[in-house]
Amino acid sequence: MQLPNGTNAQVTHIGQVRLFHHITLHNVLLVPSFSYNHLSTSKLTNSGVISLVVLGNLCFLQDLSK
């Protein structure tokens, strides 16, 4: 996987992660060299079923399918 700074990071697994009982992220990449979890907000919101609102240090996810 190529990072925005031009370096490469090795992806060892691809799977899914359940955020909540009704929100599952698919095609999640496991990159062991990353020290933190990263979430692509554009991929999350472009799915069309989730809205993301960021207010200061708060982040709200809303399931639009319900």
Side-chain angles (χ1 to χ4, degrees):
M1 167 174 90
Q2 187 168 11
L3 303 176
N5 66 2
T7 63
N8 290 311
Q10 182 180 10
V11 175
T12 59
H13 295 84
I14 300 173
Q16 53 188 334
V17 173
R18 179 172 279 168
L19 289 180
F20 305 103
H21 72 279
H22 61 284
I23 297 177
T24 301
L25 303 178
H26 301 277
N27 299 316
V28 175
L29 307 178
L30 175 61
V31 182
S33 62
F34 283 7
S35 300
Y36 299 95
N37 294 323
H38 298 270
L39 180 66
S40 170
T41 55
S42 64
K43 291 216 181 227
L44 186 63
T45 57
N46 285 340
S47 69
V49 295
I50 295 179
S51 173
L52 175 72
V53 177
V54 178
L55 301 170
N57 63 347
L58 300 173
C59 178
F60 299 94
L61 294 174
Q62 181 176 5
D63 183 352
L64 301 175
S65 67
K66 297 201 176 245

